[in-house]
Coordinates of all heavy atoms in Angstrom, one line a residue:
E155 N 25.5 -71.2 -42.2 CA 24.7 -72.2 -41.7 C 24.2 -71.8 -40.3 O 25.1 -71.7 -39.4 CB 25.4 -73.6 -41.6 CG 24.6 -74.8 -41.2 CD 23.7 -75.3 -42.4 OE1 24.3 -75.5 -43.4 OE2 22.5 -75.4 -42.1
G156 N 23.0 -71.5 -40.0 CA 22.5 -71.3 -38.7 C 22.6 -69.9 -38.2 O 22.0 -69.5 -37.2
F157 N 23.4 -69.0 -38.9 CA 23.4 -67.6 -38.4 C 23.9 -66.7 -39.6 O 24.2 -67.2 -40.6 CB 24.4 -67.4 -37.2 CG 25.8 -67.6 -37.5 CD1 26.7 -66.5 -37.5 CD2 26.4 -68.9 -37.6 CE1 28.0 -66.6 -37.7 CE2 27.7 -69.0 -37.9 CZ 28.6 -67.9 -37.9
S158 N 23.8 -65.4 -39.3 CA 24.3 -64.5 -40.3 C 25.1 -63.4 -39.7 O 25.1 -63.3 -38.4 CB 23.1 -63.8 -41.0 OG 22.4 -63.0 -40.1
Y159 N 25.8 -62.7 -40.5 CA 26.8 -61.7 -39.9 C 26.7 -60.4 -40.8 O 26.7 -60.5 -42.0 CB 28.2 -62.4 -40.0 CG 29.3 -61.4 -39.7 CD1 29.6 -61.0 -38.4 CD2 30.0 -60.8 -40.7 CE1 30.6 -60.1 -38.1 CE2 31.0 -59.9 -40.5 CZ 31.3 -59.5 -39.2 OH 32.2 -58.6 -38.9
R160 N 26.7 -59.3 -40.1 CA 26.6 -58.0 -40.8 C 28.0 -57.3 -40.9 O 28.8 -57.4 -40.0 CB 25.6 -57.1 -40.1 CG 25.0 -56.0 -40.9 CD 23.9 -55.3 -40.1 NE 24.5 -54.6 -39.0 CZ 25.0 -53.3 -39.0 NH1 24.9 -52.7 -40.2 NH2 25.5 -52.8 -37.9
A161 N 28.2 -56.7 -42.0 CA 29.4 -55.9 -42.2 C 29.1 -54.7 -43.1 O 28.2 -54.7 -43.9 CB 30.5 -56.8 -42.9
R162 N 29.9 -53.6 -42.9 CA 29.7 -52.4 -43.7 C 30.3 -52.6 -45.0 O 29.8 -51.9 -46.0 CB 30.2 -51.2 -42.9 CG 29.3 -50.8 -41.8 CD 30.0 -49.9 -40.9 NE 29.9 -48.5 -41.4 CZ 30.7 -47.5 -41.0 NH1 31.6 -47.7 -40.1 NH2 30.6 -46.3 -41.5
A163 N 31.3 -53.3 -45.1 CA 31.9 -53.5 -46.5 C 32.3 -55.0 -46.6 O 32.6 -55.7 -45.6 CB 33.2 -52.7 -46.6
V164 N 32.1 -55.5 -47.8 CA 32.4 -56.9 -48.1 C 33.5 -57.0 -49.2 O 33.4 -56.3 -50.2 CB 31.2 -57.7 -48.5 CG1 31.5 -59.1 -49.0 CG2 30.2 -57.9 -47.3
I165 N 34.5 -57.9 -49.0 CA 35.4 -58.2 -50.1 C 35.2 -59.6 -50.5 O 35.4 -60.5 -49.7 CB 36.9 -57.9 -49.6 CG1 37.1 -56.5 -49.2 CG2 37.9 -58.3 -50.8 CD1 38.5 -56.1 -48.7
L166 N 34.8 -59.8 -51.7 CA 34.6 -61.1 -52.3 C 36.0 -61.6 -52.8 O 36.4 -61.1 -53.9 CB 33.5 -61.1 -53.3 CG 33.2 -62.5 -54.0 CD1 32.7 -63.5 -52.9 CD2 32.1 -62.3 -55.1
A167 N 36.6 -62.6 -52.1 CA 37.9 -63.1 -52.5 C 37.8 -64.6 -52.5 O 38.7 -65.3 -52.0 CB 39.0 -62.6 -51.5
A168 N 36.7 -65.1 -53.1 CA 36.4 -66.6 -53.0 C 37.1 -67.4 -54.0 O 36.8 -68.6 -54.2 CB 34.9 -66.8 -53.0
G169 N 38.0 -66.8 -54.9 CA 38.7 -67.6 -55.9 C 37.9 -68.0 -57.0 O 36.7 -67.5 -57.2
G170 N 38.4 -69.0 -57.8 CA 37.6 -69.4 -59.0 C 37.1 -70.8 -58.8 O 36.5 -71.1 -57.8
S171 N 37.3 -71.7 -59.8 CA 36.7 -73.0 -59.8 C 37.8 -74.1 -59.8 O 37.5 -75.3 -59.8 CB 35.8 -73.3 -61.0 OG 34.7 -72.4 -60.9
A172 N 39.1 -73.7 -59.9 CA 40.2 -74.7 -60.1 C 40.4 -75.4 -58.7 O 40.6 -74.8 -57.7 CB 41.5 -74.0 -60.5
Q173 N 40.4 -76.7 -58.8 CA 40.8 -77.6 -57.7 C 39.9 -77.4 -56.5 O 40.3 -76.8 -55.5 CB 42.2 -77.4 -57.3 CG 43.1 -77.6 -58.6 CD 44.5 -78.3 -58.3 OE1 44.8 -78.6 -57.2 NE2 45.2 -78.6 -59.4
K174 N 38.6 -77.9 -56.6 CA 37.7 -77.6 -55.5 C 38.0 -78.3 -54.2 O 37.5 -77.9 -53.2 CB 36.2 -78.0 -56.0 CG 35.9 -79.4 -56.2 CD 34.4 -79.6 -56.4 CE 34.1 -81.0 -56.6 NZ 33.3 -81.3 -57.8
Q175 N 38.9 -79.3 -54.3 CA 39.4 -79.9 -53.0 C 40.1 -78.9 -52.1 O 40.3 -79.2 -51.0 CB 40.2 -81.2 -53.3 CG 41.6 -80.9 -53.9 CD 41.6 -80.8 -55.4 OE1 40.6 -80.5 -56.0 NE2 42.8 -80.9 -56.0
L176 N 40.5 -77.8 -52.7 CA 41.2 -76.7 -52.0 C 40.2 -75.6 -51.5 O 40.6 -74.6 -51.1 CB 42.4 -76.1 -52.8 CG 43.5 -77.2 -53.1 CD1 44.5 -76.5 -54.0 CD2 44.2 -77.6 -51.8
G177 N 38.9 -75.9 -51.7 CA 37.9 -75.0 -51.2 C 37.2 -74.1 -52.3 O 36.3 -73.4 -51.9
T178 N 37.7 -74.2 -53.5 CA 37.2 -73.3 -54.5 C 36.3 -74.0 -55.5 O 36.8 -74.8 -56.3 CB 38.4 -72.6 -55.3 OG1 39.4 -73.6 -55.5 CG2 38.9 -71.5 -54.5
C179 N 35.0 -73.8 -55.4 CA 34.1 -74.5 -56.4 C 33.2 -73.5 -57.1 O 32.0 -73.8 -57.4 CB 33.3 -75.6 -55.7 SG 32.8 -75.2 -54.0
G180 N 33.7 -72.3 -57.3 CA 32.9 -71.3 -58.1 C 31.9 -70.5 -57.4 O 31.1 -69.8 -58.0
D181 N 31.8 -70.6 -56.0 CA 30.8 -69.8 -55.3 C 30.9 -68.3 -55.6 O 29.9 -67.6 -55.6 CB 31.0 -70.0 -53.8 CG 30.7 -71.4 -53.3 OD1 30.3 -72.2 -54.2 OD2 30.9 -71.7 -52.1
G182 N 32.2 -67.8 -55.7 CA 32.4 -66.4 -56.0 C 31.6 -65.9 -57.2 O 31.0 -64.8 -57.2
F183 N 31.6 -66.7 -58.2 CA 30.9 -66.3 -59.5 C 29.4 -66.2 -59.2 O 28.7 -65.3 -59.6 CB 31.1 -67.3 -60.6 CG 32.6 -67.6 -60.9 CD1 33.1 -68.8 -60.9 CD2 33.5 -66.5 -61.0 CE1 34.5 -69.0 -61.2 CE2 34.8 -66.7 -61.3 CZ 35.3 -67.9 -61.3
R184 N 28.9 -67.2 -58.4 CA 27.4 -67.2 -58.1 C 27.1 -65.9 -57.2 O 26.1 -65.2 -57.6 CB 27.1 -68.5 -57.3 CG 25.7 -68.7 -57.0 CD 25.4 -70.2 -56.6 NE 26.4 -70.7 -55.5 CZ 26.2 -70.5 -54.2 NH1 25.2 -69.9 -53.8 NH2 27.1 -71.1 -53.4
F185 N 27.9 -65.6 -56.2 CA 27.6 -64.5 -55.4 C 27.7 -63.2 -56.2 O 26.8 -62.3 -56.1 CB 28.6 -64.3 -54.2 CG 28.6 -65.5 -53.3 CD1 29.7 -65.9 -52.6 CD2 27.4 -66.3 -53.1 CE1 29.7 -66.9 -51.7 CE2 27.4 -67.3 -52.2 CZ 28.6 -67.7 -51.5
A186 N 28.7 -63.1 -57.1 CA 28.8 -61.9 -57.9 C 27.6 -61.7 -58.9 O 27.1 -60.6 -59.0 CB 30.1 -62.0 -58.8
E187 N 27.1 -62.8 -59.4 CA 25.9 -62.7 -60.3 C 24.7 -62.3 -59.5 O 23.9 -61.5 -60.0 CB 25.7 -64.1 -61.0 CG 26.5 -64.2 -62.2 CD 26.4 -65.6 -62.9 OE1 26.1 -66.6 -62.3 OE2 26.7 -65.6 -64.1
Q188 N 24.6 -62.8 -58.3 CA 23.5 -62.4 -57.4 C 23.5 -60.9 -57.1 O 22.5 -60.3 -56.9 CB 23.5 -63.2 -56.1 CG 23.0 -64.6 -56.2 CD 23.3 -65.5 -55.0 OE1 23.9 -65.0 -54.0 NE2 23.0 -66.7 -55.1
M189 N 24.7 -60.3 -57.2 CA 24.9 -58.9 -56.9 C 24.7 -58.1 -58.3 O 24.9 -56.9 -58.3 CB 26.2 -58.5 -56.3 CG 26.5 -59.2 -55.0 SD 25.3 -58.8 -53.7 CE 25.9 -57.2 -53.3
G190 N 24.4 -58.8 -59.3 CA 24.1 -58.2 -60.6 C 25.3 -58.0 -61.5 O 25.3 -57.4 -62.6
L191 N 26.5 -58.6 -61.1 CA 27.7 -58.4 -61.9 C 27.7 -59.5 -63.1 O 27.1 -60.5 -63.0 CB 28.9 -58.6 -61.0 CG 29.2 -57.4 -60.2 CD1 29.9 -57.8 -58.9 CD2 30.1 -56.4 -60.9
T192 N 28.4 -59.1 -64.1 CA 28.5 -60.1 -65.3 C 29.7 -61.0 -65.2 O 30.8 -60.5 -64.9 CB 28.6 -59.2 -66.6 OG1 27.5 -58.4 -66.6 CG2 28.6 -60.1 -67.8
V193 N 29.5 -62.3 -65.3 CA 30.5 -63.2 -65.2 C 30.8 -63.8 -66.6 O 29.9 -64.4 -67.2 CB 30.2 -64.4 -64.2 CG1 31.2 -65.4 -64.2 CG2 30.0 -63.8 -62.8
K194 N 32.0 -63.7 -67.1 CA 32.4 -64.4 -68.4 C 32.6 -65.8 -68.1 O 33.2 -66.2 -67.0 CB 33.7 -63.7 -68.9 CG 34.3 -64.4 -70.1 CD 35.5 -63.6 -70.6 CE 36.2 -64.3 -71.8 NZ 37.4 -63.7 -72.2
K195 N 32.1 -66.7 -68.9 CA 32.1 -68.1 -68.6 C 33.4 -68.6 -68.1 O 34.5 -68.5 -68.8 CB 31.7 -68.9 -69.9 CG 31.6 -70.4 -69.7 CD 31.2 -71.1 -71.0 CE 31.1 -72.6 -70.8 NZ 30.8 -73.3 -72.0
P196 N 33.5 -69.2 -66.9 CA 34.7 -69.7 -66.3 C 35.2 -71.0 -67.0 O 34.3 -71.9 -67.2 CB 34.4 -69.9 -64.9 CG 33.1 -69.2 -64.6 CD 32.4 -69.2 -65.9
L197 N 36.4 -71.0 -67.4 CA 37.0 -72.2 -68.1 C 38.3 -72.6 -67.4 O 39.0 -71.7 -66.8 CB 37.2 -72.0 -69.5 CG 36.0 -71.8 -70.5 CD1 36.5 -71.5 -71.9 CD2 35.2 -73.0 -70.5
P198 N 38.7 -73.9 -67.4 CA 39.9 -74.2 -66.8 C 41.1 -73.6 -67.5 O 41.0 -73.4 -68.8 CB 40.0 -75.7 -66.9 CG 38.7 -76.2 -67.4 CD 38.0 -75.0 -68.0
A199 N 42.2 -73.2 -66.9 CA 43.4 -72.7 -67.5 C 44.6 -73.2 -66.8 O 44.5 -73.7 -65.6 CB 43.4 -71.2 -67.5
L200 N 45.7 -73.1 -67.4 CA 47.0 -73.8 -66.9 C 46.7 -75.2 -66.6 O 46.7 -75.7 -65.4 CB 47.5 -73.0 -65.7 CG 47.8 -71.6 -65.9 CD1 48.6 -71.0 -64.6 CD2 48.7 -71.3 -67.1
V201 N 46.3 -76.0 -67.6 CA 45.8 -77.3 -67.4 C 46.3 -78.2 -68.6 O 46.5 -77.7 -69.7 CB 44.2 -77.2 -67.5 CG1 43.7 -76.7 -68.8 CG2 43.5 -78.5 -67.0
P202 N 46.5 -79.5 -68.3 CA 46.9 -80.4 -69.4 C 45.8 -80.5 -70.5 O 44.6 -80.4 -70.1 CB 47.0 -81.8 -68.7 CG 47.2 -81.5 -67.2 CD 46.5 -80.2 -67.0
L203 N 46.2 -80.7 -71.7 CA 45.2 -80.7 -72.8 C 45.0 -82.2 -73.2 O 46.0 -83.0 -73.3 CB 45.7 -79.9 -74.0 CG 45.7 -78.4 -73.8 CD1 46.4 -77.7 -75.0 CD2 44.4 -77.8 -73.5
T204 N 43.8 -82.5 -73.5 CA 43.5 -83.9 -74.1 C 43.5 -83.7 -75.6 O 43.1 -82.7 -76.1 CB 42.1 -84.4 -73.6 OG1 41.1 -83.4 -73.9 CG2 42.1 -84.7 -72.1
V205 N 43.9 -84.8 -76.3 CA 43.9 -84.8 -77.8 C 43.3 -86.0 -78.3 O 43.1 -87.0 -77.6 CB 45.4 -84.6 -78.3 CG1 46.1 -83.4 -77.8 CG2 46.2 -85.9 -78.0
K206 N 42.9 -86.0 -79.6 CA 42.3 -87.1 -80.3 C 43.4 -88.3 -80.2 O 44.6 -88.0 -80.4 CB 42.1 -86.8 -81.8 CG 40.8 -87.3 -82.3 CD 40.4 -86.6 -83.5 CE 40.1 -87.6 -84.6 NZ 40.0 -86.9 -85.9
K207 N 42.9 -89.5 -80.0 CA 43.7 -90.7 -79.9 C 44.9 -90.7 -80.9 O 44.6 -90.4 -82.1 CB 42.9 -92.0 -80.0 CG 43.6 -93.2 -79.5 CD 42.6 -94.3 -79.3 CE 43.1 -95.5 -78.7 NZ 44.2 -96.2 -79.1
D208 N 46.1 -90.9 -80.5 CA 47.2 -90.8 -81.3 C 48.3 -91.7 -80.9 O 48.5 -92.1 -79.7 CB 47.8 -89.3 -81.2 CG 48.8 -89.0 -82.3 OD1 50.0 -89.3 -82.1 OD2 48.4 -88.5 -83.3
P209 N 49.2 -92.2 -81.9 CA 50.3 -93.1 -81.5 C 51.2 -92.5 -80.4 O 51.9 -93.2 -79.7 CB 51.1 -93.3 -82.8 CG 50.1 -93.0 -83.9 CD 49.1 -92.0 -83.3
L210 N 51.2 -91.1 -80.3 CA 52.1 -90.5 -79.3 C 51.7 -90.9 -77.9 O 52.5 -90.8 -77.0 CB 51.9 -88.9 -79.5 CG 53.0 -88.1 -78.9 CD1 54.4 -88.4 -79.5 CD2 52.7 -86.6 -79.0
F211 N 50.5 -91.4 -77.7 CA 50.1 -91.9 -76.3 C 51.1 -93.0 -75.9 O 51.2 -93.2 -74.7 CB 48.7 -92.5 -76.3 CG 47.6 -91.4 -76.5 CD1 47.9 -90.1 -76.7 CD2 46.2 -91.8 -76.5 CE1 46.9 -89.1 -76.9 CE2 45.2 -90.8 -76.6 CZ 45.6 -89.5 -76.8
K212 N 51.7 -93.7 -76.8 CA 52.6 -94.8 -76.5 C 53.9 -94.3 -75.8 O 54.6 -95.0 -75.2 CB 53.0 -95.6 -77.7 CG 51.9 -96.4 -78.3 CD 52.4 -97.3 -79.4 CE 51.2 -97.6 -80.4 NZ 51.7 -97.8 -81.8
A213 N 54.1 -92.9 -76.0 CA 55.3 -92.3 -75.4 C 55.0 -91.7 -74.0 O 55.7 -90.8 -73.5 CB 55.9 -91.3 -76.3
A214 N 53.8 -92.1 -73.4 CA 53.4 -91.5 -72.1 C 54.5 -91.6 -71.1 O 55.2 -92.7 -71.0 CB 52.2 -92.2 -71.6
G215 N 54.7 -90.5 -70.4 CA 55.8 -90.5 -69.4 C 57.0 -89.8 -69.8 O 57.8 -89.4 -69.0
V216 N 57.1 -89.6 -71.1 CA 58.3 -88.9 -71.6 C 58.2 -87.4 -71.3 O 57.2 -86.8 -71.5 CB 58.5 -89.1 -73.2 CG1 59.5 -88.1 -73.8 CG2 58.9 -90.5 -73.5
R217 N 59.3 -86.8 -70.8 CA 59.5 -85.4 -70.6 C 60.6 -84.9 -71.5 O 61.7 -85.5 -71.4 CB 59.8 -85.0 -69.2 CG 58.7 -85.3 -68.2 CD 59.2 -85.3 -66.8 NE 58.1 -85.6 -65.9 CZ 57.6 -84.8 -65.0 NH1 58.1 -83.6 -64.9 NH2 56.5 -85.1 -64.3
I218 N 60.3 -83.9 -72.4 CA 61.3 -83.5 -73.3 C 61.2 -82.1 -73.7 O 60.1 -81.6 -73.7 CB 61.2 -84.4 -74.6 CG1 62.4 -84.1 -75.6 CG2 59.9 -84.3 -75.3 CD1 62.5 -85.2 -76.7
H219 N 62.3 -81.4 -73.9 CA 62.3 -80.0 -74.3 C 61.6 -79.9 -75.7 O 62.0 -80.7 -76.6 CB 63.7 -79.4 -74.3 CG 63.6 -77.9 -74.6 ND1 63.5 -77.0 -73.7 CD2 63.7 -77.3 -75.8 CE1 63.4 -75.8 -74.2 NE2 63.6 -75.9 -75.6
G220 N 60.8 -78.9 -75.9 CA 60.2 -78.8 -77.2 C 59.3 -77.5 -77.3 O 59.3 -76.7 -76.3
K221 N 58.6 -77.4 -78.4 CA 57.8 -76.2 -78.6 C 56.4 -76.7 -78.9 O 56.2 -77.6 -79.7 CB 58.4 -75.4 -79.7 CG 57.8 -74.0 -79.8 CD 58.3 -73.2 -81.0 CE 59.6 -72.5 -80.8 NZ 60.1 -71.7 -82.0
V222 N 55.4 -76.0 -78.4 CA 54.0 -76.3 -78.8 C 53.4 -75.1 -79.4 O 53.6 -74.0 -78.9 CB 53.2 -76.8 -77.6 CG1 53.1 -75.9 -76.4 CG2 51.7 -77.1 -78.0
S223 N 52.8 -75.2 -80.6 CA 52.1 -74.1 -81.1 C 50.6 -74.5 -81.4 O 50.3 -75.7 -81.7 CB 52.8 -73.6 -82.4 OG 53.1 -74.6 -83.2
L224 N 49.7 -73.5 -81.3 CA 48.3 -73.7 -81.6 C 48.0 -73.2 -83.0 O 48.5 -72.1 -83.4 CB 47.5 -73.0 -80.6 CG 47.5 -73.4 -79.2 CD1 46.5 -72.5 -78.4 CD2 47.2 -74.9 -79.0
H225 N 47.2 -74.0 -83.7 CA 46.8 -73.6 -85.1 C 45.3 -73.7 -85.2 O 44.7 -74.7 -84.6 CB 47.5 -74.4 -86.1 CG 49.0 -74.3 -86.2 ND1 49.7 -73.7 -87.2 CD2 49.9 -74.6 -85.2 CE1 50.9 -73.7 -86.9 NE2 51.1 -74.3 -85.7
N226 N 44.7 -72.8 -85.9 CA 43.2 -72.9 -86.1 C 43.0 -73.8 -87.4 O 43.9 -74.3 -88.0 CB 42.5 -71.6 -86.2 CG 42.9 -70.7 -87.4 OD1 43.6 -71.2 -88.3 ND2 42.5 -69.5 -87.4
Q227 N 41.7 -73.9 -87.7 CA 41.3 -74.7 -88.8 C 41.9 -74.3 -90.1 O 42.3 -75.2 -91.0 CB 39.8 -74.6 -89.0 CG 39.1 -75.8 -89.4 CD 37.6 -75.7 -89.1 OE1 37.1 -74.8 -88.4 NE2 36.8 -76.6 -89.6
E228 N 42.2 -73.0 -90.3 CA 42.8 -72.5 -91.5 C 44.3 -72.7 -91.5 O 45.0 -72.2 -92.4 CB 42.5 -71.1 -91.8 CG 41.0 -70.8 -92.1 CD 40.1 -70.9 -90.9 OE1 40.4 -70.3 -89.9 OE2 39.0 -71.5 -91.0
G229 N 44.8 -73.2 -90.4 CA 46.3 -73.4 -90.3 C 47.0 -72.2 -89.8 O 48.3 -72.2 -89.7
K230 N 46.3 -71.2 -89.4 CA 47.0 -70.0 -88.9 C 47.5 -70.2 -87.5 O 46.8 -70.8 -86.6 CB 45.9 -68.8 -88.8 CG 46.5 -67.5 -88.4 CD 45.5 -66.4 -88.5 CE 46.1 -65.2 -87.8 NZ 45.3 -64.6 -86.8
Q231 N 48.8 -69.9 -87.3 CA 49.4 -70.1 -85.9 C 48.8 -69.0 -85.0 O 48.9 -67.8 -85.3 CB 50.9 -70.0 -86.0 CG 51.5 -70.3 -84.6 CD 53.0 -70.4 -84.6 OE1 53.6 -71.1 -85.5 NE2 53.6 -69.6 -83.8
L232 N 48.3 -69.4 -83.8 CA 47.7 -68.5 -82.9 C 48.6 -68.2 -81.7 O 48.6 -67.1 -81.2 CB 46.4 -69.2 -82.3 CG 45.4 -69.7 -83.3 CD1 44.4 -70.6 -82.7 CD2 44.7 -68.5 -84.0
Q233 N 49.4 -69.2 -81.3 CA 50.3 -69.0 -80.1 C 51.3 -70.0 -80.1 O 51.1 -71.2 -80.6 CB 49.4 -69.2 -78.9 CG 49.6 -68.2 -77.8 CD 48.8 -68.5 -76.5 OE1 48.1 -69.5 -76.4 NE2 48.8 -67.5 -75.6
E234 N 52.5 -69.7 -79.5 CA 53.5 -70.8 -79.3 C 54.2 -70.6 -78.0 O 54.4 -69.5 -77.5 CB 54.4 -70.9 -80.5 CG 55.3 -69.8 -80.7 CD 56.4 -70.0 -81.8 OE1 56.3 -71.0 -82.5 OE2 57.4 -69.2 -81.8
M235 N 54.7 -71.7 -77.5 CA 55.5 -71.6 -76.2 C 56.5 -72.8 -76.2 O 56.2 -73.9 -76.6 CB 54.5 -71.7 -75.1 CG 54.9 -70.8 -74.0 SD 53.6 -70.5 -72.8 CE 53.2 -68.8 -73.2

Side-chain angles (χ1 to χ4, degrees):
E155 186 76 55
F157 71 105
S158 68
Y159 170 79
R160 200 173 67 86
R162 284 167 79 196
V164 168
I165 299 177
L166 182 60
S171 295
Q173 308 215 353
K174 69 169 180 233
Q175 71 276 17
L176 297 173
T178 40
C179 39
D181 292 359
F183 304 131
R184 185 163 49 84
F185 298 152
E187 274 176 336
Q188 282 165 5
M189 301 300 282
L191 284 149
T192 305
V193 175
K194 178 174 171 183
K195 184 175 177 183
L197 292 176
L200 303 188
V201 64
L203 293 174
T204 53
V205 303
K206 221 164 128 189
K207 197 166 184 308
D208 191 275
L210 200 60
F211 289 3
K212 292 185 204 150
V216 165
R217 290 165 183 246
I218 185 167
H219 183 88
K221 196 185 267 183
V222 55
S223 50
L224 294 182
H225 295 248
N226 67 9
Q227 214 160 351
E228 290 76 46
K230 185 176 167 233
Q231 183 173 310
L232 307 165
Q233 221 183 9
E234 66 171 13
M235 219 162 251

